[in-house]
Amino acid sequence: MKVSRTLIVVGSLLLIISIVLTYKWISYNHAYPNEQTELTNSTKKANPLPKNSIDSKAKNKNHVQNSLAKKAVKSVANQPKFKSDKLFKRIPVIPLLDVLKSKKQPSRGQSIFFHETTNFRRIEKNAVVQLTAREACAIESAALHNPGLTVFVLFAGATHRPLRGDPLIRALHNYKNIRLRNLNLWRYAAGTPIAKWLKSGKLFKSKFLFPHVSDLLRYVTLYKYGGLYLDLDVVVQQNLEKLPPNFTGAESNISLACGVMKMSPGGLGHKIATMCLRDLEANYNANKWGTNGPGVITRVAKKQCNTDNIKSVINNPKHCNGFQIFDANAFYAISWRQWKYFFEPNRLNVTMKRISKSPVIHVWNKFSKGWKLKTKTNCAYTKLAKTHCPRSFAAAGEYF
């Protein structure tokens, strides 16, 4: 009789455990609807990375230093120092798919691209995706207003993403047209006009490495795929599918910006993307922030339009042989000198009026990233976020 009771107790416990595990499995799949698709395209299992795998290169420090010396790269010291990748030891992660190897490739001329280069290092190391609420907002707003386009977020530094627990990643997973991908800079640029120059190591002498890697990548991406490139500090307000196939936006009457650009995968767009890569190589400046981004498209546009007078070709594609240059109101209605307008409650009405017809707005992260904005603040940025990236805003917590 005692044996029977014991068997009954054990059986009951096993039944309870199986019910709990089944409930967790159902809850997880509901929270991550796209997770299984991602995993089937990957050859690696969704397990926490072994502790030893993270520090294997660190243990062989002398070998790494010698290999760098052989390549005559003295500028690695210029790269920002990072905290130890302890996140991998604490949370379960899964690898990001390589954009070049994943089953779902960018559709040429029909994709929106964002680049994240914050964790970029010349010697690739494991790093986990860490998006800010504002970056997630940019991505979500693009996906929300352009359901017919696929939004690719390409990470040049991050190699993995959290398996669960990140509210911003979870918010983005609600959109079926968002793809988070990893890229290896050298493989990604192979076969482009900039590939040989990249191997020279000149890029890594930069005092602004992350922005300059981003500058390079946007032109490489437009060369490879065409389509629409957006900075991660924008908010998309409208559908962008009917915009011209080749365009950029003016920041002022004397210079262009490169935070919102579109180029066709062939013809004129491919020609301009090629010109941009060749110009970047010829005029690369490791010591100046804007020479390799806005400077590139400004110089190329002057050649394409056969003029030094930017003002004369704004909103006049005929003068640029089909290349459209929008005026500042399209994407940069609030100039970088006025970036605080997005954050100040007393500027709410005037700011919203000025950007009301802009398909995309730029919030100038270079200047605004240090501003701690509470989600309860009634300002232009929070009002825009509630409308155009509601899930990311809700997931932001106390600060946006």
Side-chain angles (χ1 to χ4, degrees), residues 29 32-33 48 81 104 134 152 170 210 217 224 232 277 284 379 390:
N29 278 279
Y32 293 88
K81 294 182 179 179
K104 295 182 179 180
R134 297 177 192 178
F152 283 86
R170 192 161 57 244
F210 297 161
L217 282 174
K224 289 172 71 71
L232 273 168
L277 288 174
Y284 178 73
C379 64

Side-chain angles (χ1 to χ4, degrees), residues 53-73:
S53 69
I54 306 302
D55 299 318
S56 60
K57 290 183 181 177
K59 292 180 179 179
N60 202 10
K61 185 177 180 182
N62 292 332
H63 174 71
V64 172
Q65 290 177 339
N66 291 337
S67 64
L68 288 174
K70 290 179 182 179
K71 295 180 181 179
V73 179

Side-chain angles (χ1 to χ4, degrees), residues 266-297:
L268 176 61
H270 192 68
K271 172 191 170 185
I272 292 174
T274 302
M275 292 170 65
C276 288
L277 288 174
R278 297 198 185 285
D279 182 275
L280 192 152
E281 177 180 352
N283 297 290
Y284 178 73
N285 190 320
N287 301 314
K288 291 187 178 181
W289 178 82
T291 301
N292 313 307
V296 167
I297 194 63

Side-chain angles (χ1 to χ4, degrees), residues 125-319:
K125 294 184 68 176
N126 292 319
V128 68
V129 168
Q130 296 182 63
L131 286 172
T132 68
R134 297 177 192 178
E135 290 171 336
C137 179
I139 298 164
E140 180 183 356
S141 66
L144 175 67
H145 290 294
N146 298 276
L149 301 177
T150 304
V151 178
F152 283 86
V153 189
L154 306 183
F155 294 86
T159 57
H160 294 71
R161 64 180 176 83
L163 180 59
R164 55 183 173 274
D166 188 317
L168 294 173
I169 298 293
R170 192 161 57 244
L172 296 181
H173 265 294
N174 285 281
Y175 295 88
K176 295 182 180 180
N177 60 331
I178 293 178
R179 305 282 184 270
L180 307 184
R181 297 289 185 261
N182 168 258
L183 67 84
N184 176 280
L185 179 60
W186 289 268
R187 290 197 301 269
Y188 192 67
T192 71
I194 205 72
K196 185 176 179 180
W197 176 85
L198 184 59
K199 292 178 181 179
S200 72
K202 292 181 180 179
L203 175 65
F204 301 95
K205 296 178 181 179
S206 172
K207 291 184 178 180
F208 308 95
L209 183 59
F210 297 161
H212 286 174
V213 172
S214 178
D215 291 337
L216 171 68
L217 282 174
R218 70 192 66 191
Y219 296 120
V220 170
T221 293
L222 293 174
Y223 175 88
K224 289 172 71 71
Y225 302 111
L228 182 63
Y229 167 81
L230 299 175
D231 275 350
L232 273 168
D233 56 349
V234 303
V235 178
V236 178
Q237 297 195 102
Q238 302 173 15
N239 183 278
L240 307 176
E241 294 183 59
K242 294 183 180 180
L243 290 177
N246 298 289
F247 71 80
T248 191
E251 185 180 329
S252 68
N253 288 331
I254 60 173
S255 66
L256 306 182
C258 59
V260 182
M261 297 187 294
K262 186 179 181 182
M263 297 179 193
S264 59
L268 176 61
H270 192 68
K271 172 191 170 185
I272 292 174
T274 302
M275 292 170 65
C276 288
L277 288 174
R278 297 198 185 285
D279 182 275
L280 192 152
E281 177 180 352
N283 297 290
Y284 178 73
N285 190 320
N287 301 314
K288 291 187 178 181
W289 178 82
T291 301
N292 313 307
V296 167
I297 194 63
T298 300
R299 291 188 295 270
V300 167
K302 287 180 177 179
K303 291 180 182 178
Q304 173 67 19
C305 306
N306 195 27
T307 182
D308 285 329
N309 186 354
I310 291 294
K311 185 177 180 180
S312 68
V313 296
I314 292 176
N315 292 328
N316 196 346
K318 290 184 179 180
H319 284 190

Side-chain angles (χ1 to χ4, degrees), residues 330-357:
F331 313 125
Y332 311 100
I334 304 297
S335 73
W336 66 268
R337 292 181 178 86
Q338 300 170 325
W339 66 266
K340 289 184 180 180
Y341 280 30
F342 289 112
F343 299 83
E344 296 173 337
N346 63 322
R347 301 282 189 180
L348 171 61
N349 292 331
V350 66
T351 302
M352 295 303 293
K353 183 177 180 180
R354 284 175 58 179
I355 64 175
S356 61
K357 296 182 179 180

